[in-house]
Amino acid sequence: MVGITDVAQHAGVATSTVSYVLSGKRPISAPTRRRVLDSMSALGYRRPASARSRTIGLAVRVDDGAHRPLLAEFMLSASVAARGRNCNVLLLTDHAEHGVLDAALLDGLVLMDIGIHDPRLDTVRELDVPAVLIGLPRDPAGLACVDLDFHAAGVRCVDHLADLGHREAIFLGAPDAAYRRRTGFAVRTANGAVERAAARDLRLTHRAVDGDWDSTAGTLTRALQERPNATALIVQNEAATPHLAPLLRSLGRAVPEDMSLVVLGSDAVATAGTPALTSIAVPAAQLAERAVELLISRIDRMSGAAEPTPVLLEPRLTVRASTAPPPAPGRTA
């Protein structure tokens, strides 16, 4: 069995340095810590279960500049769920594959913000600890996945507006970085909305938006200039959402009299202003809890675990004061 002395010799550090990396009792420089972790991975080192409490890694992306209000709710909910099962949570924020290499310190791993073709997944499949994804890649074979059915969420938004009689709408989506990275939640929602709009004879214009005031104002203004007959907005950007009602008023369009508005995100954002917004909530707490439950179940039965089936939660649309039938011809500004 590989011990910490073997790791220390392989990494060229003192045994105490390896111990501090494992315990976190003293700060270790990032290069030294990485060298120790790489040696653990190369040697197949695992801490004895009797020597530690169970630890779950939570790998998140924090480097794309996007305003992500749901991220804190995901992290807090995962931590609460883990502590309720006598587990600790280690937050991993390194780039790409580097974060998951800390698996030598972990009993299991939860990855968030999954891309359609995520470069981390080849590494995850090679880990000797179980992993659960909050997200759905194109090829989930061998991976346990939990997510909202974002494709169905896009469909629900379009159906709601089409049922009210709208025939032209604008979809303000995630930041451009999310589409460049082919992030699952953004791509799947847009695909569902675009496909359903074609089937429902609703003209839909999709635009990415960074979410700050200037970006939102510029994108919305240009979209309305391009589509002056649009009578509805679908929004999948929590940073942009609070700006929309005042921006529309400044453009002479009231919500919902001139422009209906349906959003995807947290209920807290949807209900923070006036009017309260029709929305599909992203159930961050439920997703995080399900992911932790599934991961612990897989940890407890590491050998002989069945091929996992993706778990997709059904989106639920809550109708509030921001959606109504389109205005009569001639009323739209």
Side-chain angles (χ1 to χ4, degrees):
M1 178 179 294
V2 177
I4 64 171
T5 300
D6 303 301
V7 174
Q9 291 176 347
H10 187 276
V13 299
T15 302
S16 59
T17 300
V18 178
S19 178
Y20 293 142
V21 169
L22 292 170
S23 67
K25 290 182 179 179
R26 289 191 182 180
I28 301 297
S29 70
T32 300
R33 183 175 184 274
R34 176 54 53 198
R35 193 160 71 249
V36 170
L37 292 172
D38 287 344
S39 293
M40 290 178 181
S41 178
L43 298 175
Y45 173 79
R46 295 287 296 159
R47 288 185 294 171
S50 59
R52 56 189 169 88
S53 59
R54 189 175 275 179
T55 301
I56 293 172
L58 180 64
V60 301
R61 295 182 186 272
V62 295
D63 59 348
D64 63 2
H67 180 56
R68 299 291 301 278
L70 283 170
L71 182 60
E73 188 176 352
F74 272 111
M75 292 190 294
L76 177 60
S77 298
S79 298
V80 170
R83 290 306 304 155
R85 294 158 181 79
N86 297 315
C87 295
N88 297 315
V89 172
L90 177 64
L91 183 64
L92 307 173
T93 59
D94 288 352
H95 296 276
E97 294 93 346
H98 295 165
V100 300
L101 295 180
D102 288 355
L105 306 177
L106 305 175
D107 295 281
L109 183 68
V110 175
L111 271 81
M112 293 178 52
D113 213 7
I114 302 301
I116 298 295
H117 302 286
D118 199 305
R120 299 173 294 176
L121 299 189
D122 287 341
T123 302
V124 170
R125 287 187 170 98
E126 298 299 321
L127 297 177
D128 61 354
V129 297
V132 174
L133 312 182
I134 300 180
L136 181 66
R138 185 175 299 279
D139 179 16
L143 299 169
C145 308
V146 179
D147 206 3
L148 181 69
D149 189 339
F150 281 100
H151 186 280
V155 170
R156 290 281 170 83
C157 291
V158 169
D159 276 343
H160 176 62
L161 295 174
D163 289 345
L164 288 170
H166 294 275
R167 289 295 172 261
E168 188 161 355
I170 295 167
F171 180 9
L172 298 181
D176 188 59
Y179 296 106
R180 289 198 308 269
R181 206 172 61 235
R182 301 284 292 166
T183 304
F185 75 87
V187 173
R188 286 160 46 213
T189 305
N191 288 346
V194 169
E195 292 167 13
R196 193 61 165 183
R200 293 297 303 266
D201 194 27
L202 185 149
R203 188 179 189 183
L204 185 67
T205 299
H206 178 217
R207 296 288 182 269
V209 60
D210 285 339
D212 60 280
W213 176 274
D214 289 341
S215 173
T216 304
T219 301
L220 178 61
T221 300
R222 288 189 296 272
L224 288 173
Q225 288 171 346
E226 183 181 350
R227 298 285 182 255
N229 295 323
T231 57
L233 286 175
I234 299 171
V235 183
Q236 189 180 25
N237 190 312
E238 287 200 315
T241 297
H243 306 321
L244 292 171
L247 282 171
L248 287 168
R249 284 195 298 270
S250 72
L251 295 170
R253 302 198 185 209
V255 177
E257 293 84 359
D258 301 307
M259 184 72 69
S260 285
L261 179 55
V262 56
V263 301
L264 295 96
S266 72
D267 276 342
V269 172
T271 59
T274 302
L277 306 179
T278 295
S279 71
I280 290 179
V282 177
Q286 187 178 359
L287 288 170
E289 290 167 5
R290 291 286 293 273
V292 170
E293 290 172 358
L294 182 56
L295 181 61
I296 291 176
S297 174
R298 294 180 67 77
I299 292 171
D300 290 340
R301 51 183 177 87
M302 275 285 293
S303 60
E307 178 73 12
T309 300
V311 176
L312 294 181
L313 303 186
E314 179 183 359
R316 299 185 181 278
L317 186 142
T318 301
V319 179
R320 299 189 179 95
S322 67
T323 49
R331 173 170 167 75
T332 303

